[in-house]
Amino acid sequence: MVDARLADGSRVNAIIPPLALDGPSVSIRRFAVDKLNMENLLSFNSISPEMAKFVEAAVKGELNILIAGGTGSGKTTTLNIFSGYIPSDDRIITIEDSAELQLQQPHVVRLETRPANLEGKGEITQRDLVKNSLRMRPDRIVLGEVRGSEAVDMLAAMNTGHDGSLATIHANTPRDALSRVENMFSMAGWNISTKNLRSQIAAAIHLVVQMERQEDGKRRMVSISEINGMEGEIITMSEIFKFQRQGMDEEGNVIGYFTATGIIPGCHDSLSKRGLHLPFEIFNETYQ
């Protein structure tokens, strides 16, 4: 089997017998030529205008954001769109398994992992690249996907002044995303108490954005949650925005609406001090 990337960033996977029982199979995941932006998400009804305003302020205000979702839920696309709000004078380093991100800023250094050769040598992991990126004086680190021990160095970077970092992770709920980060520490062989580990996670990550590909095939931002801190040994989270699902119509479309939960996020004050003023009205709960 082979996992490769075409010049335009499309992913190619080929697998042949005896691994593929019914004959060779080639899969190509193509990326849209025209980059999607926040206006596209709004026109697709994947996000509400209030959520878009909040996300824009969060990225500009250098909050560390984790984008969670299942396979094909639009995590990388969302990460690309979020990155469009990063100021053009920031020095950005992207780290990926296969380069999919297409950032528009001038100061972007793109790093990509390297698999081991046939002799099992020469592998460069995401963890190696995260360590190396810290020596490159980045303003922001963008991690294509966190899936292993690089979570340790990512959290260390977020806790040591590289605010405004973005990353994606496979998870079905925001709470699940934090549990997965926790599991990655044990994968890295760290023997650290649960409370200390969770307090480090709570201090490093500010927002968890949950993407979901729903039954009607539409990808929606179903939740934006803020991490508040620790209560005992539990990380406390509060949902700021959510997709309130109401059911399905005869054609199989998901019926629902986006709403704030009525909770004013704790980061509102710090964003205001940076000149990013969000009106309190956008956090008012709506009913339909």
Side-chain angles (χ1 to χ4, degrees):
M1 57 185 174
V2 65
D3 200 18
R5 174 172 55 82
L6 300 181
D8 66 351
S10 302
R11 301 281 294 275
V12 182
N13 181 273
I15 187 162
I16 60 171
L19 300 177
L21 298 178
D22 298 324
S25 170
V26 178
S27 315
I28 299 177
R29 280 178 65 188
R30 295 237 13 235
F31 289 109
V33 178
D34 298 324
K35 316 285 182 292
L36 290 178
N37 55 28
M38 196 57 87
E39 282 67 42
N40 297 126
L41 286 194
L42 288 165
S43 65
F44 298 152
N45 199 27
S46 294
I47 187 173
S48 70
E50 292 80 13
M51 291 162 94
K53 268 186 202 162
F54 179 62
V55 161
E56 180 179 356
V59 176
K60 287 180 177 172
E62 297 191 348
L63 298 186
N64 293 324
I65 303 173
L66 198 57
I67 301 168
T71 304
S73 59
K75 299 187 297 296
T76 305
T77 304
T78 307
L79 183 58
N80 252 330
I81 293 168
F82 281 17
S83 69
Y85 292 128
I86 298 175
S88 59
D89 54 354
D90 275 9
R91 179 172 164 80
I92 309 161
I93 295 181
T94 69
I95 298 166
E96 300 171 85
D97 261 342
S98 61
E100 298 175 342
L101 294 172
Q102 297 155 325
L103 273 63
Q104 310 303 311
Q105 287 83 350
H107 303 299
V108 178
V109 180
R110 300 168 75 213
L111 307 180
E112 187 179 44
T113 60
R114 186 174 73 186
N117 62 15
L118 286 174
E119 286 82 43
K121 293 180 181 149
E123 183 184 16
I124 303 292
T125 64
Q126 277 198 326
R127 183 164 196 188
D128 299 326
L129 293 178
V130 173
K131 280 181 185 169
N132 185 72
S133 71
L134 298 179
R135 302 185 185 115
M136 299 167 74
R137 206 203 64 75
D139 288 311
R140 298 181 187 238
I141 298 169
V142 178
L143 257 173
E145 187 176 337
V146 189
R147 56 156 67 92
S149 56
E150 67 275 2
V152 176
D153 302 284
M154 177 195 75
L155 284 192
M158 287 177 170
N159 270 329
T160 52
H162 296 93
D163 285 335
S165 299
L166 302 167
T168 71
I169 192 167
H170 271 280
N172 294 324
T173 65
R175 177 70 61 188
D176 191 23
L178 300 185
S179 303
R180 289 217 52 200
V181 173
E182 227 176 292
N183 293 343
M184 288 168 194
F185 266 75
S186 50
M187 285 163 67
W190 272 53
N191 190 9
I192 179 172
S193 77
T194 306
K195 187 173 182 181
N196 287 348
L197 172 53
R198 287 179 180 167
S199 62
Q200 196 175 336
I201 293 170
I205 301 167
H206 301 122
L207 292 180
V208 181
V209 172
Q210 183 70 42
M211 299 299 296
E212 194 177 291
R213 184 170 186 264
Q214 298 183 313
E215 293 91 325
D216 54 2
K218 290 187 178 167
R219 295 163 176 86
R220 293 184 177 91
M221 194 176 289
V222 293
S223 167
I224 299 179
S225 302
E226 183 184 41
I227 296 181
N228 307 112
M230 296 283 290
E231 206 167 280
E233 289 200 2
I234 307 295
I235 299 174
T236 56
M237 301 174 79
S238 50
E239 197 169 39
I240 310 298
F241 293 97
K242 64 178 178 179
F243 177 70
Q244 186 67 53
R245 186 171 170 153
Q246 294 170 303
M248 295 187 77
D249 63 15
E250 296 79 35
E251 289 156 18
N253 294 314
V254 173
I255 304 167
Y257 61 94
F258 294 101
T259 175
T261 57
I263 297 170
I264 306 293
C267 59
H268 187 274
D269 191 36
S270 62
L271 291 176
S272 296
K273 286 174 182 168
R274 285 173 169 266
L276 300 160
H277 301 292
L278 290 167
F280 286 111
E281 296 79 61
I282 70 169
F283 302 110
N284 291 344
E285 196 168 355
T286 53
Y287 301 95
Q288 282 190 15

